[in-house]
């Protein structure tokens, strides 16, 4: 056993010695090639190349010349962004037949001769033609939706309507500085409807009317503006251009025969000579939008001098003219509302700094947009109770207080009377806006839910039942 183990140990030692000799010889050979240093390198296995994927009938832009000509082009389907109503001629099924238009057409038309105390709590329809002022100037948003739902625009005559009409009759022969009235009241009580009724009354009386249905758009930074070095104000040419265009469309017949009573300077152009028709002066602003603010101011001044026709300036969202604007100057500082051309022009007539020889200025407060709340200066001028404490140490703007002097307040009742609400209920019932059976119990339930408020009675009472 000892002899066998000795032989095995000798063979193992010989194999180890031979391996050491081979490693030593390889090391000597490598160092002989690089005698200075011993360099060790590392390499990675090359990635496997995948077979190229062939694209069949690729419609890309990098194809060979001539290949795309033989292929059929891709067809793109036309997508409509909104549903379009079908023409009435195609609605031949009896299901679409309705007598709603005929029922509202039976209402008496809104006319100055019919606006008497005997017509209180009665519904009247507005005349339907292309020269209606609310069709050219536009409407507040809520009123616009209501008129689109109704088959014929109409409103209910209230006692405050008769009061406003009597003020306008007296203002027809007096300067507008003596009749500057602001409609006040609770939210949704009907101030905008009262302003529209006064506008329609003056239009039927052959007045020249200018209607600003959304004065918030003058201060909420939705129109372009440029700085004018001459007047040191920010001009709003787009809004002035649109106002001129709408004013001419509504009052073209009344402007015939009216001419300028003095030379008018319009920007860098030649002065407009005396005796120029007002229609031609308006056309200058319509041809060049950059001078539209100057032309609009000149037109109102010329209307203030003439005594042929009275002029009505009606402004909804009236409180927005006194609020902080969202416009910014070059240093990103807020621009005051009276530094903008359109609000400043309206404020000058609302405060009596400028006046029409015959006419009136009417305004209606609005609380639909909480960004432009009733400012403190206007609240104190109209003697409206404060919603929060406002002592003598609360900061007030002297400039805004100057524009509030002489404003008169006309309060609109916060709730409809039972007779007025019944007439309004009958209008929507005839127009098939109430799917349920119309009876006294339904009317009293909706009237009580709205606490008599006109807007809530329609929107939260009558129209909400359509979703049931």
């Amino acid at each position: 056993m000892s002899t066998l183990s000795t032989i095995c140990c000798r063979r193992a030692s010989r194999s180890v010695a031979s391996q050491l000799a081979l490693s030593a010889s390889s090391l000597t050979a490598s160092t002989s090639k690089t005698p200075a240093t011993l360099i060790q390198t590392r390499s990675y296995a090359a990635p496997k190349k995948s077979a190229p994927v062939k694209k069949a009938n690729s419609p890309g832009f990098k194809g060979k010349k001539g290949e795309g000509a033989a292929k059929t082009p891709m067809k793109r389907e036309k997508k409509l962004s909104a549903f379009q109503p079908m023409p009435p001629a195609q609605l031949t099924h009896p299901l679409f037949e309705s007598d709603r238009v005929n029922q509202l057409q039976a209402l008496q038309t809104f006319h100055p001769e019919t606006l008497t105390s005997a017509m209180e709590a009665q519904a009247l329809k507005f005349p339907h033609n292309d020269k209606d002022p609310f069709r050219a100037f536009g409407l507040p948003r809520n009123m616009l939706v209501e008129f689109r739902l109704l088959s014929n625009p109409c409103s209910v005559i209230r006692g405050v309507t008769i009061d406003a009409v009597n003020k306008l009759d007296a203002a027809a022969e007096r300067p507008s500085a003596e009749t500057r009235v602001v409609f006040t009241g609770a939210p949704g009580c009907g101030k905008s409807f009262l302003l529209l009724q006064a506008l329609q009354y003056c239009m039927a009386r052959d007045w020249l009317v200018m209607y600003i249905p959304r004065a918030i758009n003058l201060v909420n930074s939705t129109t372009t503006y440029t700085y004018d070095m001459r007047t040191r104000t920010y001009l709003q040419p787009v809004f002035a251009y649109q106002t001129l265009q709408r004013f001419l469309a509504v009052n073209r017949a009344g402007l015939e025969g009216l001419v300028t009573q003095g030379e008018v300077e319009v920007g860098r152009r030649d002065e407009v000579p005396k005796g120029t028709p007002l229609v031609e002066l308006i056309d200058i602003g319509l041809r060049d939008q950059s001078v539209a603010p100057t032309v609009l101011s000149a037109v109102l001044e010329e209307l203030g001098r003439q005594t042929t026709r009275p002029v009505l300036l009606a402004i909804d969202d009236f409180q927005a003219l006194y609020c902080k604007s969202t416009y910014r100057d070059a240093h990103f500082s807020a621009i005051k509302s009276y530094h903008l051309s359109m609000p400043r022009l309206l404020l000058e007539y609302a405060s009596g700094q400028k006046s029409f020889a015959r006419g009136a200025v009417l305004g209606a407060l609005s609380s639909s947009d909480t960004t432009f709340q009733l400012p403190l200066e206007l609240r104190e001028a109209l003697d409206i109770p404060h919603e929060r404490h406002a002592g003598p140490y609360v900061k007030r703007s002297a400039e805004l207080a100057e524009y509030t002097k002489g404003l008169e307040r006309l309060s609109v009742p916060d709730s409809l009377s039972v007779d007025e609400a019944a007439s309004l209920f009958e209008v929507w019932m005839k127009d098939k806006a109430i799917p349920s059976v119309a009876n006294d119990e339904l009317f009293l339930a909706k009237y009580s839910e709205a606490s008599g408020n006109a807007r809530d009675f329609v929107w939260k009472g009558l129209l909400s039942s359509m979703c049931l």
Side-chain angles (χ1 to χ4, degrees):
M1 293 296 291
S2 60
T3 305
L4 182 59
S5 60
T6 303
I7 294 171
C8 293
C9 289
R10 288 177 180 177
R11 290 179 179 177
S13 61
R14 288 176 183 176
S15 62
V16 172
S18 61
Q19 292 179 1
L20 291 175
L22 290 173
S23 61
S25 62
S26 62
L27 181 59
T28 304
S30 62
T31 53
S32 62
K33 294 180 180 179
T34 55
T37 57
L38 179 63
I39 299 176
Q40 183 179 1
T41 61
R42 179 179 297 178
S43 61
Y44 296 92
K48 294 182 180 180
K49 294 182 179 181
S50 58
V53 180
K54 295 182 179 180
K55 297 182 180 180
N57 299 329
S58 175
F61 295 99
K62 295 183 179 180
K64 295 182 180 180
K65 295 182 178 180
E67 289 184 358
K71 298 177 181 178
T72 58
M74 297 180 62
K75 295 182 179 180
R76 296 184 179 180
E77 297 180 358
K78 184 178 180 181
K79 296 182 179 180
L80 298 177
S81 59
F83 292 101
Q84 301 294 334
M86 294 180 63
Q90 297 183 9
L91 303 177
T92 57
H93 195 275
L95 179 64
F96 300 105
E97 296 180 1
S98 175
D99 57 347
R100 54 181 296 194
V101 177
N102 296 331
Q103 290 189 7
L104 287 187
Q105 285 290 343
L107 294 176
Q108 194 171 356
T109 306
F110 187 95
H111 194 270
E113 302 299 334
T114 61
L115 296 183
T116 60
S117 57
M119 291 298 297
E120 290 187 19
Q122 299 293 326
L124 300 179
K125 64 178 180 180
F126 289 119
H128 185 77
N129 54 66
D130 296 335
K131 293 185 179 181
D132 291 336
F134 65 87
R135 297 184 184 276
F137 290 104
L139 288 170
R141 192 174 303 275
N142 290 339
M143 194 184 302
L144 177 64
V145 176
E146 290 186 24
F147 284 178
R148 286 183 176 179
L149 293 176
L150 290 173
S151 58
N152 200 333
C154 56
S155 65
V156 177
I157 304 302
R158 305 172 64 181
V160 69
T161 306
I162 307 301
D163 296 338
V165 165
N166 293 334
K167 287 183 176 293
L168 291 173
D169 288 338
E173 302 298 333
R174 295 187 301 181
S176 64
E178 300 181 11
T179 309
R180 293 174 286 122
V181 183
V182 180
F183 301 149
T184 63
C189 65
K191 300 181 291 294
S192 297
F193 268 94
L194 178 60
L195 186 64
L196 182 62
Q197 289 173 346
L199 182 72
Q200 289 285 346
Y201 177 82
C202 292
M203 187 66 187
R205 286 289 189 185
D206 295 331
W207 286 40
L208 298 175
V209 297
M210 179 175 290
Y211 181 40
I212 309 295
R214 304 178 187 180
I216 291 179
N217 292 339
L218 298 175
V219 294
N220 63 355
S221 189
T222 56
T223 59
T224 58
Y225 63 107
T226 57
Y227 184 73
D228 185 19
M229 294 291 294
R230 182 177 61 88
T231 60
R232 294 184 179 181
T233 58
Y234 292 88
L235 303 180
Q236 297 170 293
V238 176
F239 204 98
Y241 171 83
Q242 295 175 352
T243 305
L244 283 174
Q245 189 178 32
R246 295 164 182 171
F247 179 76
L248 181 60
V250 174
N251 304 279
R252 181 179 288 274
L255 292 173
E256 297 294 339
L258 298 181
V259 297
T260 59
Q261 300 183 14
E263 296 181 350
V264 179
E265 182 180 355
V266 182
R268 298 180 180 179
R269 297 170 173 266
D270 297 335
E271 292 185 350
V272 179
K274 179 181 179 181
T276 304
L278 287 184
V279 176
E280 296 184 7
L281 179 60
I282 295 176
D283 289 337
I284 295 176
L286 297 180
R287 290 194 298 266
D288 188 359
Q289 192 178 90
S290 62
V291 299
T294 307
V295 172
L296 177 61
S297 178
V299 168
L300 291 181
E301 289 183 1
E302 293 297 331
L303 292 177
R305 297 174 183 174
Q306 58 86 31
T307 57
T308 305
R309 292 176 180 270
V311 183
L312 173 68
L313 177 59
I315 308 168
D316 210 337
D317 296 332
F318 184 73
Q319 81 289 342
L321 302 178
Y322 298 83
C323 295
K324 296 180 180 179
S325 73
T326 57
Y327 285 92
R328 301 289 176 174
D329 60 9
H331 302 285
F332 205 71
S333 299
I335 301 175
K336 303 294 184 181
S337 61
Y338 47 84
H339 289 162
L340 297 167
S341 62
M342 287 296 297
R344 186 185 185 93
L345 180 63
L346 299 179
L347 286 173
E348 289 174 346
Y349 283 93
S351 61
Q353 297 179 11
K354 293 182 179 180
S355 176
F356 303 112
R358 298 173 57 194
V361 178
L362 300 182
L365 302 182
S366 173
S367 59
S368 57
D369 194 334
T370 57
T371 306
F372 301 95
Q373 296 279 351
L374 182 64
L376 179 61
E377 296 82 2
L378 185 59
R379 182 184 293 272
E380 292 180 345
L382 298 176
D383 196 18
I384 300 176
H386 295 280
E387 296 180 353
R388 64 186 70 178
H389 177 70
Y393 298 103
V394 178
K395 186 177 181 180
R396 293 165 174 81
S397 174
E399 292 81 1
L400 291 179
E402 190 69 22
Y403 286 120
T404 61
K405 290 183 177 180
L407 291 176
E408 183 183 354
R409 170 186 174 187
L410 179 59
S411 299
V412 180
D414 295 343
S415 59
L416 298 170
S417 65
V418 177
D419 294 336
E420 294 169 354
S423 298
L424 190 59
F425 181 81
E426 185 178 1
V427 167
W428 289 96
M429 180 188 65
K430 288 182 178 180
D431 216 34
K432 305 290 181 66
I434 306 174
S436 55
V437 179
N439 49 35
D440 295 343
E441 289 76 8
L442 178 63
F443 164 71
L444 292 176
K446 299 302 181 181
Y447 181 76
S448 302
E449 290 174 4
S451 299
N453 185 270
R455 182 192 302 169
D456 293 343
F457 179 69
V458 174
W459 286 92
K460 296 182 180 181
L462 303 181
L463 297 183
S464 64
S465 61
M466 299 177 63
C467 302
L468 298 177

